[in-house]
Amino acid sequence: MPGNMPKNIPTVPIYISLMGLWSDMGQVDIYDNWLRQPLEKYGAVRIWFAGRWNVLVTRPDYITDMFRNEDLYAKAGSQKKIPWSVIASLVGDNIINSHGETWKNYTAIMKPGLQKTQFDSKPILAQSRKFVDVLLKAQEDVGRNGGVLVNPIIQRFAISAMGESFLDIDFKCLDDPNTRINELQNIIKRTIFKPLYFNFPILDKYPYIFTSRRRAFAIMHEFETLLDELVRTRPNKVNRKEPLAAQDELVVHMLERALEEGKMTRDGYLANLKIVFLTAHENTQQLLNSMFWQFGHDLTFQDKLRAEVLATGVTEPTPEILNKLPYLTAIICELLRVYPPVSQLINRVTLEPANLGGNINIPKGTWVGWNAPGVHSDPAAWGPTAREFIPERWGDKPEEIMAKYRRETVRGRFIAFNSHSRKCLGQGYALLELKMCLFELVRRVKWTIEPGYKLKLTSGGILAPLGCKVRFEELDTGRISEKTL
């Protein structure tokens, strides 16, 4: 432990960070057993992560101090912290992890495509319908009493929907589970979150010793090369005769133009192309994974949402219709609160000595981050029911729900999409995609968790259930509506 680390906060024993090496305990259980008490008492702890000691924060006023002072607690991801690592070769210097003039340049180029005021919802609806079709076919294949492993199918949906909305391409993952771009995502996720290399990334410096890391670097290179080729040769680009109208441009068009005009380097273009692909499908994927568990083991939420959806009498939902549904809006907010996909992120570094929240002295060059489940489940912020799933806590009118969503974000009590100047630019799209997908799911199918499955959450990285199997039943309401179309 460096001698200049903060003295007035406790230290989480290093073996807790390394538990993934010998234990299959889920990250929520790890948090409850070893992190909850010190973090709820002190608001911050010293913790080992990515080969060094860091400061991890959950108290809302510390969170807001960190988020508001971007020039002191600067964004800096793996490309700065561990530039030699496998994960750094995957993500590069991108809009999420960059700082200063580089970040401003990336934001000026990409923000209009990531934060569109009006996304075209038709591709999302079409992919949502295909998603339900694939789920029902999977149920047919395993038989009435079998369970469908949902996460792989969710990933195929999320990649397909993201591709059409951001990268101007349908990757066809729902049509073919063996597309290489989908297979690579499975390999990458298994590779990146291996506990040994996650906690001791210095080992990535020696791929000639650790052959698995040599293969890992090769996989990251293959993904970059394949994504670049697929985007460059996409049918919509090759066959387009007329230039796009400004309102029809997607973020990929903005990236391509910036590269052509010299406003972005080739490395910057590839890094941002990859980060759009990764983040614009991963967060939705894992939240839907958690949703299937939450709604499948307690049908109360599913039934109430279905009643609201069917009451609309609509089979072609538009963003305007979706945004008027209060329970749909509230249930997504609560899913993000209880199951934030990005559970922990330590990607800020102090550029000068800092005094966090006027209470914790942090030396220059210290890495600082947050734990979202800890923030979202703290009774000091969310009351005695903080650890319960209660959508009604958000309100009963859409405008009231979204006002609370914004208010709790600014206060540092709800950080599913970060906050302040570095809030997620794609959150509007994510909310639309989730609403559209949930609308179609509850309209057409009912599901329950396969008997015998016991909830087990990931041990680190992304927060989601592992191995969740679901039984699907097609509803007459969905079947009749589909025939009518």
Side-chain angles (χ1 to χ4, degrees), residues 179-196:
T179 56
R180 185 57 178 166
I181 199 78
N182 181 62
E183 290 177 339
L184 284 172
Q185 293 315 295
N186 297 327
I187 299 170
I188 287 170
K189 289 166 188 176
R190 291 196 302 267
T191 301
I192 290 297
F193 297 117
K194 285 191 174 180
L196 177 63

Side-chain angles (χ1 to χ4, degrees), residues 70 73-77 96-99 345 347-349 418 422:
E70 166 72 14
Y73 304 97
K75 273 287 193 84
I96 293 178
N97 287 333
S98 57
H99 176 68
L345 203 55
N347 69 339
R348 291 176 182 261
V349 63
N418 231 299
R422 300 306 295 266

Side-chain angles (χ1 to χ4, degrees), residues 51-63:
R52 69 188 70 212
W53 288 99
N54 313 265
V55 174
L56 184 69
V57 177
T58 57
R59 212 168 91 178
D61 57 324
Y62 293 165
I63 296 277

Side-chain angles (χ1 to χ4, degrees), residues 256-264:
E256 289 172 333
R257 185 168 57 251
L259 179 61
E260 291 167 3
E261 295 175 354
K263 295 179 180 178
M264 181 178 283

Side-chain angles (χ1 to χ4, degrees), residues 236-445:
N236 286 348
K237 181 179 182 180
V238 173
N239 300 328
R240 184 172 291 118
K241 305 298 183 184
E242 301 290 335
L244 280 171
Q247 67 269 20
D248 296 328
E249 284 195 338
L250 306 180
V251 72
V252 69
H253 303 119
M254 300 164 190
L255 285 169
E256 289 172 333
R257 185 168 57 251
L259 179 61
E260 291 167 3
E261 295 175 354
K263 295 179 180 178
M264 181 178 283
T265 66
R266 174 75 176 160
D267 286 344
Y269 167 81
L270 290 171
N272 282 294
L273 191 67
K274 289 186 292 182
I275 207 66
V276 169
F277 181 100
L278 295 166
T279 58
H281 90 265
E282 178 72 21
N283 291 348
T284 302
Q285 174 189 345
Q286 302 308 341
L287 196 71
L288 287 173
N289 193 0
S290 298
M291 180 279 300
F292 275 117
W293 156 257
Q294 182 65 51
F295 291 9
H297 85 92
D298 187 340
L299 301 187
T300 305
F301 308 109
Q302 191 181 145
D303 292 343
K304 185 172 180 178
L305 180 58
R306 183 175 296 108
E308 180 179 74
V309 165
L310 294 179
T312 66
V314 168
T315 58
E316 297 276 347
T318 63
E320 293 74 21
I321 291 171
L322 295 171
N323 291 336
K324 290 179 181 178
L325 300 180
Y327 195 65
L328 176 61
T329 304
I331 216 157
I332 289 173
C333 291
E334 188 69 348
L335 281 167
L336 286 164
R337 189 188 71 85
V338 177
Y339 302 102
V342 182
S343 58
Q344 184 169 295
L345 203 55
I346 301 177
N347 69 339
R348 291 176 182 261
V349 63
T350 51
L351 299 183
E352 299 292 341
N355 183 245
L356 184 64
N359 188 41
I360 302 174
N361 291 319
I362 302 177
K364 178 181 177 180
T366 301
W367 291 83
V368 185
W370 43 260
N371 181 288
V375 177
H376 294 175
S377 62
D378 190 341
W382 291 93
T385 61
R387 299 174 70 180
E388 299 176 33
F389 190 90
I390 306 175
E392 291 79 5
R393 75 172 77 243
W394 293 89
D396 54 16
K397 296 178 181 178
E399 59 274 15
E400 174 187 332
I401 295 166
M402 293 312 295
K404 182 176 177 65
Y405 174 100
R406 291 187 291 270
R407 187 169 60 250
E408 301 299 350
T409 297
V410 170
R411 291 176 175 174
R413 305 200 301 196
F414 180 70
I415 57 172
F417 289 115
N418 231 299
S419 183
H420 296 281
S421 64
R422 300 306 295 266
K423 64 185 178 183
C424 174
L425 295 176
Q427 63 179 297
Y429 168 79
L431 294 174
L432 172 62
E433 182 185 12
L434 289 163
K435 287 179 180 180
M436 189 70 76
C437 185
L438 278 177
F439 187 102
E440 189 67 6
L441 275 165
V442 299
R443 186 180 72 82
R444 291 181 55 192
V445 296

Side-chain angles (χ1 to χ4, degrees), residues 120-292:
D120 183 0
S121 62
K122 294 184 185 66
I124 306 173
L125 177 58
Q127 295 290 357
S128 297
R129 285 178 172 161
K130 190 180 292 187
F131 176 44
V132 178
D133 292 341
V134 173
L135 290 171
L136 288 171
K137 179 61 169 62
Q139 185 64 64
E140 181 183 326
D141 291 344
V142 300
R144 182 177 179 181
N145 295 322
V148 175
L149 185 63
V150 290
N151 194 40
I153 304 175
I154 302 171
Q155 176 174 287
R156 292 159 56 196
F157 159 73
I159 292 175
S160 298
M162 169 279 304
E164 289 201 272
S165 296
F166 289 110
L167 301 182
D168 193 32
I169 180 174
D170 182 358
F171 289 103
K172 304 290 186 183
C173 294
L174 280 173
D175 299 319
D176 180 6
N178 299 315
T179 56
R180 185 57 178 166
I181 199 78
N182 181 62
E183 290 177 339
L184 284 172
Q185 293 315 295
N186 297 327
I187 299 170
I188 287 170
K189 289 166 188 176
R190 291 196 302 267
T191 301
I192 290 297
F193 297 117
K194 285 191 174 180
L196 177 63
Y197 302 104
F198 212 43
N199 284 286
F200 298 101
I202 194 165
L203 299 177
D204 283 353
K205 285 188 172 184
Y206 309 103
Y208 52 89
I209 297 176
F210 302 98
T211 56
S212 66
R213 303 319 277 170
R214 187 163 65 245
R215 291 193 295 270
F217 279 110
I219 286 294
M220 304 309 147
H221 178 70
E222 181 186 353
F223 167 60
E224 177 179 288
T225 303
L226 178 59
L227 180 61
D228 183 31
E229 180 185 359
L230 290 173
V231 169
R232 181 167 39 82
T233 60
R234 66 190 185 275
N236 286 348
K237 181 179 182 180
V238 173
N239 300 328
R240 184 172 291 118
K241 305 298 183 184
E242 301 290 335
L244 280 171
Q247 67 269 20
D248 296 328
E249 284 195 338
L250 306 180
V251 72
V252 69
H253 303 119
M254 300 164 190
L255 285 169
E256 289 172 333
R257 185 168 57 251
L259 179 61
E260 291 167 3
E261 295 175 354
K263 295 179 180 178
M264 181 178 283
T265 66
R266 174 75 176 160
D267 286 344
Y269 167 81
L270 290 171
N272 282 294
L273 191 67
K274 289 186 292 182
I275 207 66
V276 169
F277 181 100
L278 295 166
T279 58
H281 90 265
E282 178 72 21
N283 291 348
T284 302
Q285 174 189 345
Q286 302 308 341
L287 196 71
L288 287 173
N289 193 0
S290 298
M291 180 279 300
F292 275 117

